[in-house]
């Protein structure tokens, strides 16, 4: 499997600079908020979302260097993503994220919520200072979408009438909106045409949907060590993802287990077995592949470059995480 590190080789220096800048951007206005934010940005991670912004920036400005505004957009994108994770961890009552203690477990829920709000506020301030109304609109839409996605997920817990369309709408809001709108915003800062900007939006949207569907499959197929949380966590918390929704079509007893919220000791293992024994995982793989392939078509409008190739390879990487 191609590593993320090699995929991002053309923006490796940019990503290193981003990591250093993020700690400076949060400021030291309050020691606890600073400690919380520093912990988050020091935890590393793939930096997938800012890497997409940087790759799109380099792919759309072929004759000159990317600007400080492109770099700032990448930083804002990571700040928004991180803020959403902090709030997610509070809602999900998570103690660990990818083997690193969460802010709510290190401090408490009150500090975690405030740290998330602080990061959203900081990102909004830096966003306004880009002095580009179109970009402000795009990234403001993301923050609205993320909140809406979290509400959609909360309201549909253990709801076996959830449709694939509803699942995809929630997935767009929670995951794909940031990739879609930040990719388009990078193009806007490069001065691309409206048509190319739309293509970049759809690249991010399709890649984001594929990425989350793959994540949802891994919840059933990967080990606890790989996931950094127990397998089947989403299902047990009532978050019905693509593999479950497809499995429900052929395993009626799964509906019984979900609707009684896994009240019996053996319910969880029985439900996981039913999903794994169905075509739900395979159908989800096919759906993820469809979105990943669409993403590649979306950026056919870009001129050949190392960064464009990395964007293409990224869609292959997203699917390769399954194998």
């Amino acid at each position: 499997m191609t590593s993320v590190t090699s995929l991002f080789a053309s923006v490796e220096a940019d990503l290193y600079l981003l990591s250093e800048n993020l700690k400076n951007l949060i400021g030291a206005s309050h020691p606890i908020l600073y400690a919380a934010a520093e912990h988050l940005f020091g935890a590393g991670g793939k930096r997938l979302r800012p890497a997409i912004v940087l790759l799109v920036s380099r792919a759309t400005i072929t004759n000159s260097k990317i600007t400080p505004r492109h770099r700032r957009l990448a930083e804002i994108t990571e700040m928004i993503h991180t803020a959403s994770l902090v709030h997610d961890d509070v809602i999900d009552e998570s103690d660990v994220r990818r083997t690193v203690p969460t802010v709510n477990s290190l401090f408490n829920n009150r500090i975690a919520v405030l740290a998330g709000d602080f990061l959203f506020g900081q990102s909004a301030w830096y966003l306004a200072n880009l002095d580009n109304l179109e970009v402000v609109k795009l990234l403001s839409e993301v923050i609205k979408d993320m909140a809406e996605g979290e509400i959609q997920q909360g309201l549909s817990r253990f709801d076996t009438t959830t449709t694939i369309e509803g699942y995809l709408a929630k997935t767009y809001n929670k995951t794909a909106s940031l990739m879609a709108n930040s990719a388009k915003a990078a193009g806007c800062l490069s001065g691309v045409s409206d048509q190319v900007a739309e293509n970049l939006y759809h690249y991010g949207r399709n890649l984001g949907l594929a990425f989350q569907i793959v994540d949802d499959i891994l919840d059933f197929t990967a080990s606890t060590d790989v996931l950094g949380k127990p397998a089947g966590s989403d299902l047990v918390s009532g978050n019905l993802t693509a593999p479950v929704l497809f499995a429900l079509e052929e395993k009626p007893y799964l509906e019984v287990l979900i609707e009684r919220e896994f009240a019996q000791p053996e319910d969880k293992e029985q439900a996981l077995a039913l999903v794994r024994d169905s075509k739900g995982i395979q159908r989800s793989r096919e759906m993820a592949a469809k979105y990943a392939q669409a993403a590649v078509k979306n950026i056919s409008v870009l001129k050949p470059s190392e960064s464009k190739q990395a964007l293409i390879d990224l869609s292959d990487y997203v699917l390769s995480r399954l194998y």
Side-chain angles (χ1 to χ4, degrees), residues 225-240:
D225 287 344
V226 170
L227 291 171
K229 60 181 180 178
S233 291
D234 282 336
L235 177 58
V236 173
S237 68
N239 180 20
L240 308 189

Side-chain angles (χ1 to χ4, degrees), residues 206-207 210 287-297 315-316 318-319:
N206 288 320
L207 187 76
M287 188 163 70
K290 180 188 79 172
Y291 284 114
Q293 288 155 11
V296 172
K297 287 181 184 172
S315 66
D316 292 332
V318 164
L319 296 179

Side-chain angles (χ1 to χ4, degrees), residues 19-20 22-24 26-28 30-44 47 82 100 103 106-107 115 118-119:
S19 295
E20 293 301 302
L22 280 170
K23 292 173 190 175
N24 296 327
I26 55 176
H30 193 288
I32 292 181
L33 283 178
Y34 182 79
E38 189 175 42
H39 166 72
L40 289 162
F41 294 131
R47 302 279 192 242
T82 304
V100 176
V103 173
L106 279 179
F107 301 96
F118 174 66
L119 289 173

Side-chain angles (χ1 to χ4, degrees), residues 13-273:
D14 299 321
L15 286 171
Y16 176 78
L17 191 60
L18 174 130
S19 295
E20 293 301 302
N21 282 349
L22 280 170
K23 292 173 190 175
N24 296 327
L25 286 181
I26 55 176
S29 55
H30 193 288
I32 292 181
L33 283 178
Y34 182 79
E38 189 175 42
H39 166 72
L40 289 162
F41 294 131
K46 297 187 189 75
R47 302 279 192 242
L48 176 66
R49 290 150 188 84
I52 291 170
V53 170
L54 293 164
L55 288 168
V56 168
S57 300
R58 289 199 173 277
T60 50
I61 295 190
T62 49
N63 299 323
S64 59
K65 294 179 180 178
I66 61 172
T67 67
R69 292 203 301 169
H70 285 101
R71 294 186 189 282
R72 183 50 49 85
L73 175 64
E75 291 156 6
I76 291 166
T77 298
E78 185 67 354
M79 288 173 82
I80 291 172
H81 173 58
T82 304
S84 73
L85 295 184
V86 177
H87 284 172
D88 280 359
D89 288 338
V90 173
I91 292 165
D92 298 340
E93 299 178 349
S94 303
D95 293 328
V96 174
R97 178 177 286 275
R98 294 186 182 88
T99 72
V100 176
T102 55
V103 173
N104 47 299
S105 68
L106 279 179
F107 301 96
N108 55 51
N109 282 348
R110 182 185 175 86
I111 292 298
V113 169
L114 292 171
D117 291 346
F118 174 66
L119 289 173
F120 274 129
Q122 285 286 76
S123 64
W125 190 84
Y126 286 113
L127 183 59
N129 278 276
L130 287 177
D131 288 327
N132 185 305
L133 184 57
E134 181 62 22
V135 171
V136 171
K137 286 179 180 178
L138 289 169
L139 274 292
S140 299
E141 182 86 9
V142 170
I143 296 172
K144 176 192 77 70
D145 287 343
M146 283 179 158
E148 194 172 323
E150 206 55 66
I151 292 166
Q152 287 169 319
Q153 183 166 300
L155 292 175
S156 61
R157 288 177 72 240
F158 301 105
D159 182 0
T160 55
T161 66
T162 302
T163 62
I164 284 291
E165 291 72 27
Y167 159 78
L168 289 172
K170 182 262 296 180
T171 300
Y172 170 78
N173 283 335
K174 281 199 68 178
T175 303
S177 174
L178 180 58
M179 293 188 190
N181 286 294
S182 61
K184 182 176 181 179
C188 290
L189 290 178
S190 298
V192 300
S193 68
D194 290 348
Q195 184 55 57
V196 171
E198 248 345 86
N199 276 58
L200 291 170
Y201 167 85
H202 286 289
Y203 169 82
R205 175 186 181 275
N206 288 320
L207 187 76
L209 290 173
F211 181 87
Q212 188 57 53
I213 294 165
V214 166
D215 253 16
D216 293 339
I217 295 168
L218 290 173
D219 195 45
F220 294 96
T221 62
S223 67
T224 299
D225 287 344
V226 170
L227 291 171
K229 60 181 180 178
S233 291
D234 282 336
L235 177 58
V236 173
S237 68
N239 180 20
L240 308 189
T241 57
V244 179
L245 296 175
F246 285 132
L248 277 166
E249 294 175 18
E250 55 181 295
K251 303 286 184 182
Y253 189 59
L254 183 57
E255 185 174 337
V256 176
L257 299 173
I258 293 168
E259 288 187 344
R260 73 182 184 207
E261 299 186 13
F262 312 108
Q264 305 298 323
E266 70 280 1
D267 282 2
K268 177 190 169 183
E269 289 309 317
Q270 212 171 352
L272 289 173

